[in-house]
Amino acid sequence: MEVKLAEHMGFCFGVKRAVDTVYEQIKNGKTIYTYGSIVNNEEVVRDLAEKGVRVLETREELTELSEVGQEAGGSGAASPASVIIRAHGVPEEIFTILQEKHLECIDATCPFVRRIQKKAEEESRKGKHIVIVGNAGHPEVEGIIGWCRGPVTVIKNEEEARKFQLSQGKKVCVVAQTTFNYNKFQGIVEILEERGYNGSVVNTICNATEERQRSARALAAEADVMIVIGGKHSSNTRRLYEICSEECAHTYFIQTLEDLCLELPKTARLVGITAGASTPNKLIEEVQNYVRINF
Ligand code: F3S
């Protein structure tokens, strides 16, 4: 029986860069904080916690951190502290707080996300109304909002696009959340154009998501069994699972190797494996080796 991996899967460039940054900083013996979980995968977060990395969940937790070398709550521990910004990015205000508190900041914002933040900042300085096509409340979207200098609206579907009210006398600048679906983005842009809004549209969707979905579908179409590895709460893994299930009746969603209890159809000749954008390579290899050895 053959085991085949999807051509594109697992950590995208930005997440890998951020996770590598955390592991590098651990080696320096500092107290490491990440602003939000560095990646949406419980296994990785647990491993980092065991290595002493702490997660700051809110702006309030950050403001409670004392100056360099101190711990939250002001106990005054001696080791220097660094705060790592994750790939999704943060509002500008967070950098200001870090600066005011003289905390070392290591910015692991994905360069593709940073590009959107810069665009939103520049265009809103020029007086444009920024439209972010994406999901309100998502950390990346919240981050982009935090770089805008004027009116900003988040639109997630065509209905919201029809209701959108432009600030008087303004032009729009439309950008997208990096993981947004391209067809939905196009549909929303068309509605805004039909409604006669002037301005610019910048397609800022990252192709990492689409590449992963395309290669998962291609592999699932030829596989007898598909294994999708990823975090329970990871929406991109869930989407991969849905896509694979459409193509392959024997599709399994697992978080770790322990979840894997395969019942292979007797005729199974090809097992395909794919993984969500927050799944580390180590885990993919474990699953792959297990299937190769046991079946
Ligand atoms: Fe990943 Fe950066 Fe794209 S975080 S999904 S490579 S925008």
Side-chain angles (χ1 to χ4, degrees):
M1 189 178 56
E2 196 190 343
V3 180
K4 203 166 161 186
L5 301 179
E7 192 184 350
H8 299 281
M9 65 173 172
F11 281 178
C12 62
F13 155 76
V15 168
K16 179 173 184 313
R17 186 170 165 271
V19 173
D20 288 351
T21 303
V22 181
Y23 281 101
E24 266 163 36
Q25 293 301 320
I26 292 171
K27 287 190 214 143
N28 297 337
K30 296 176 189 166
T31 303
I32 308 286
Y33 295 89
T34 61
Y35 191 77
S37 303
I38 202 79
V39 61
N40 202 1
N41 182 287
E42 286 167 24
E43 298 298 305
V44 181
V45 172
R46 197 175 310 132
D47 183 54
L48 290 173
E50 278 166 15
K51 293 183 165 59
V53 176
R54 298 150 206 214
V55 182
L56 300 166
E57 297 289 356
T58 60
R59 186 182 170 285
E60 286 64 40
E61 283 181 23
L62 175 64
T63 47
E64 275 169 26
L65 272 189
S66 304
E67 309 238 321
V68 182
Q70 311 253 323
E71 308 239 343
S75 63
S79 66
S82 298
V83 179
I84 301 178
I85 305 297
R86 63 181 171 178
H88 289 319
V90 290
E92 188 181 17
E93 175 208 29
I94 300 298
F95 288 103
T96 312
I97 298 173
L98 287 163
Q99 230 170 19
E100 282 168 5
K101 294 192 143 287
H102 306 290
L103 285 161
E104 188 193 16
C105 167
I106 298 164
D107 185 7
T109 305
C110 172
F112 301 135
V113 176
R114 184 69 198 114
R115 189 168 70 101
I116 310 175
Q117 295 172 341
K118 277 196 185 146
K119 189 79 191 164
E121 184 185 0
E122 283 164 17
E123 296 298 310
S124 59
R125 268 190 207 283
K126 288 184 201 157
K128 289 195 184 159
H129 185 139
I130 306 297
V131 171
I132 306 168
V133 177
N135 296 299
H138 186 284
E140 180 191 317
V141 172
E142 294 300 303
I144 299 167
I145 293 173
W147 288 88
C148 293
R149 297 288 186 270
V152 52
T153 305
V154 183
I155 294 182
K156 69 168 178 303
N157 55 30
E158 297 192 356
E159 193 191 335
E160 288 181 5
R162 283 191 200 94
K163 286 188 192 150
F164 169 62
Q165 294 293 334
L166 181 64
S167 323
Q168 222 177 5
K170 293 251 181 210
K171 287 187 170 177
V172 281
C173 170
V174 184
V175 295
Q177 185 180 332
T178 53
T179 47
F180 207 77
N181 176 285
Y182 177 74
N183 292 337
K184 281 194 196 166
F185 173 72
Q186 266 310 105
I188 290 169
V189 168
E190 273 165 28
I191 291 172
L192 294 176
E193 285 173 350
E194 273 163 29
R195 294 186 63 202
Y197 292 133
N198 273 324
S200 50
V201 176
V202 197
N203 174 4
T204 51
I205 295 172
C206 172
N207 63 8
T209 311
E210 216 214 313
E211 257 175 8
R212 274 152 186 71
Q213 293 182 355
R214 214 181 316 118
S215 36
R217 188 179 293 282
L219 180 56
E222 55 168 327
D224 302 298
V225 173
M226 267 310 280
I227 302 170
V228 182
I229 317 166
K232 252 194 306 215
H233 305 294
S234 152
S235 54
N236 77 81
T237 313
R238 200 158 288 284
R239 182 71 194 120
L240 287 179
Y241 174 72
E242 284 164 15
I243 290 173
C244 292
S245 304
E246 282 165 23
E247 303 290 338
C248 173
H250 300 281
T251 298
Y252 296 82
F253 186 159
I254 62 165
Q255 272 218 116
T256 66
L257 191 54
E258 278 88 74
D259 301 336
L260 186 64
C261 65
L262 275 185
E263 281 175 37
L264 294 183
K266 287 197 175 50
T267 51
R269 298 224 314 256
L270 176 64
V271 176
I273 298 177
T274 188
S278 343
T279 308
N281 268 342
K282 193 171 139 254
L283 186 54
I284 301 172
E285 270 165 34
E286 269 174 27
V287 174
Q288 185 189 181
N289 289 339
Y290 179 87
V291 177
R292 281 191 205 283
I293 292 166
N294 290 284
F295 298 97

